[in-house]
Amino acid sequence: MVISIYGGSGSGKTTLATALQQYFFNDGRGCYLLSDDDYPHRIPKRNDEEQLRVYKEAGEDGLRGYLGTKKEIDFARINEVLAAFHEGKDTITLRHLERKDGEISSEETDFSGISVLLLEWTHGGSDDLHGVDLSVFLESSPEETKERRIRRNRDENAASPFICRVVELEQEKLEVQRKNAGCIFFFLHSAEPVPFRSRPGIFRDRL
C-alpha cells in the first residue's frame, strides 16, 4: 500500500508520517518513509535559484507554471519507484539528493518485507503522481506555513517576501490537489493531527 501525506511546507507532514511509520512498525508491518526532498530535479539551493530565475523572466505566471510541475519535480522517477513497489520488487533504486551543494546519487534499497510505503510529499496530491492508494492532505494557510518555516529554522530567507509569495502560489496548487485527498487533517498548536474530513470507512477499508 502507498500512502501519500501532502501539504504545505511546515504543515506537519513529517510529524504525521513519522507517527504513522511507528504505528505500522508496532503493528508488525514493514514500512518505508520516502521524502520529497530527494525528487526535485535540482538540490534545494539550486531549485530556489531556478524559482527566482523563472520569476524574473516570466513573473508569477511563469512561477505558477514551474512550482509543483514536471519542470520542478522528477515525477517520472518517483512513479518508477511506486510501480516497482506495487510489482513487489525486493530491491528498488532510490534517489538521494543533498540539501546543500552536493551530488545527486542513487542507491539500491532493500524492500523485502515492506508492505507500506509512506510518501512525505508537498505535492503528493498531484495528478502527475501515479500509484498512490491513499492520499492524506494536511490543511494549512500560507500564514501558518510561514510561521512554522521560521520556527523550524531550516531554510535561509524563510520569511523573505519572495519565499512568502512562493508559499502562497504553492498553496494555490495545493487547493487544487485537495480534491484528490481521501482524508484531510489540520494541526492544532499542540502539533496533534485532528481529523477535519474523511470519507466514511476509508481507513477501515484500505488499512
Side-chain angles (χ1 to χ4, degrees):
M1 180 176 187
V2 176
I3 302 175
S4 175
I5 300 170
Y6 68 106
S9 176
S11 61
K13 297 187 297 295
T14 300
T15 300
L16 181 57
T18 302
L20 276 176
Q21 185 180 41
Q22 189 60 52
Y23 167 81
F24 287 119
F25 284 157
N26 292 344
D27 198 42
R29 305 191 201 188
C31 179
Y32 192 92
L33 177 56
L34 187 63
S35 171
D36 68 339
D37 287 344
D38 291 316
Y39 286 91
H41 289 294
R42 302 166 184 85
I43 65 172
K45 181 177 180 180
R46 300 305 174 208
N47 193 48
D48 290 347
E49 293 171 353
E50 181 66 10
Q51 290 175 0
L52 186 58
R53 184 195 67 78
V54 170
Y55 177 72
K56 287 180 177 179
E57 290 186 1
E60 288 193 358
D61 286 341
L63 200 52
R64 283 189 181 94
Y66 177 77
L67 295 171
T69 70
K70 294 177 181 178
K71 297 177 183 178
E72 181 179 37
I73 300 170
D74 194 347
F75 282 105
R77 184 73 65 89
I78 187 62
N79 286 336
E80 289 176 1
V81 171
L82 300 192
F85 177 75
H86 280 300
E87 291 169 8
K89 293 187 176 180
D90 289 335
T91 302
I92 299 176
T93 303
L94 298 183
R95 194 171 184 247
H96 295 287
L97 183 152
E98 294 295 332
R99 186 159 186 79
K100 297 182 180 179
D101 285 320
E103 296 182 353
I104 298 175
S105 60
S106 297
E107 181 181 0
E108 294 292 308
T109 304
D110 183 11
F111 267 74
S112 58
I114 302 296
S115 60
V116 180
L117 176 58
L118 295 176
L119 297 181
E120 179 199 341
W121 195 281
T122 298
H123 295 283
S126 171
D127 292 332
D128 290 318
L129 185 62
H130 308 304
V132 173
D133 299 301
L134 174 61
S135 294
V136 179
F137 178 58
L138 300 188
E139 188 83 70
S140 67
S141 68
E143 293 76 17
E144 291 168 328
T145 294
K146 175 183 175 181
E147 178 184 345
R148 290 166 183 157
R149 285 171 63 96
I150 293 172
R151 190 165 60 239
R152 73 183 182 180
N153 195 31
R154 192 178 75 175
D155 302 305
E156 295 180 7
N157 303 318
S160 72
F162 176 70
I163 294 300
C164 288
R165 188 57 185 145
V166 167
V167 169
E168 291 171 352
L169 294 178
E170 282 188 330
Q171 194 68 31
E172 291 180 5
K173 300 268 183 163
L174 290 171
E175 285 302 313
V176 174
Q177 295 177 27
R178 196 174 188 272
K179 71 181 187 303
N180 294 328
C183 187
I184 297 174
F185 285 79
F186 69 96
F187 274 70
L188 296 177
H189 292 298
S190 63
E192 290 296 326
V194 178
F196 180 73
R197 188 196 70 208
S198 62
R199 298 173 190 167
I202 193 160
F203 287 111
R204 182 185 66 250
D205 295 341
R206 298 196 180 187
L207 297 182

